[in-house]
Amino acid sequence: MPANAQATSERDTPVEKDWIAAAREMLIEGGIAAVQINPLAVRLGVTRGGFYWRFKNRQDLLDQLLLDWESSNARNFINRLAEPGTLAERMQRLIDLWIEERQFDPRLEAAIRQWALIDTAVHARVRSVDLGRIEAITDMFLIDGYEPNDAKARARITYFHQIGYYTLTLGESPEERRAMLPHYTRVLFGKD
C-alpha cells in the first residue's frame, strides 16, 4: 500500500474521541445496555477490530465514557461557580450553563443517572459529583454571608430543583425558563 494511502486510511479511522462521542449518543438514546461494540463499530462505519485498537474491552470504553461525563458536565458546572464575582453573577453563570445546554448536556446527565441506578460503581461516582456540586453551591452562599445551615439548605434546594427539572423533562423554552428567574432569585436568595 502506498504511504499516502495508508496515511489517508489512518486519518479516516475514528479516533478515541469519536468512539466515545458515538458511545455517548448510544447511551443517551438507549441506555447503558445499548452501548455495545458491534453496533458502535457499525455506527462509525468501521470493523469491530478498530475498537480494540483504542480500548481493551467494553468496560474500558464505559470507564472512558464516565470520564467524559466528568470532564464535561461535571467539570463545567464546577468551573462556572469557581469564577470570581458576586453571588448574583456566579448564580447567573450557573443558570446560563443550565439554560444554554451547550457545556452541560441534560440528556447525558439523565443517561448517566439511569446508568447509576443499576451500577454501584457508577452510582458512587455520580454521588461524589453531586456532593461536589452541592458543596460548590454551598460555598457560593457562604461567601455571600449566609449562615452555614441556610447556605447548605439553599444549595440543596437549588441543586435538587435543577436535577428534578431535568428528570421531569418539562421541555420549557429558554425564554420560559428565564421568565421565572426573578421569582427563583427571590425564593432562593431571599432578596429581589
Side-chain angles (χ1 to χ4, degrees), residues 94-101 106 161-162 165-166 170-182 184:
L94 182 59
I95 290 167
D96 289 344
L97 176 78
W98 284 330
I99 291 176
E100 292 167 0
E101 297 180 359
H161 163 264
Q162 190 58 42
Y165 178 87
Y166 289 136
L170 296 175
E172 296 173 327
S173 71
E175 294 76 22
E176 290 172 302
R177 294 180 74 189
R178 286 192 193 283
M180 288 298 296
L181 287 181
Y184 288 134

Side-chain angles (χ1 to χ4, degrees), residues 7 22 41 65:
L65 187 57

Side-chain angles (χ1 to χ4, degrees), residues 51-113:
F51 173 85
Y52 292 102
W53 282 101
R54 306 281 186 255
F55 305 96
K56 290 183 253 177
N57 51 36
R58 180 176 181 261
Q59 187 58 54
D60 185 25
L61 171 68
L62 298 182
D63 292 343
Q64 294 301 314
L65 187 57
L66 196 54
L67 282 172
D68 174 68
W69 167 71
E70 290 174 332
S71 68
S72 60
N73 273 22
R75 181 173 297 149
N76 290 334
F77 185 103
I78 298 298
N79 288 348
R80 285 286 177 105
L81 291 178
E83 296 171 17
T86 65
L87 174 64
E89 291 167 340
R90 294 170 81 195
M91 185 56 87
Q92 186 60 55
R93 284 193 299 266
L94 182 59
I95 290 167
D96 289 344
L97 176 78
W98 284 330
I99 291 176
E100 292 167 0
E101 297 180 359
R102 287 194 305 261
Q103 293 182 320
F104 185 90
D105 185 343
R107 301 169 313 134
L108 177 59
E109 194 75 14
I112 292 290
R113 288 177 184 287

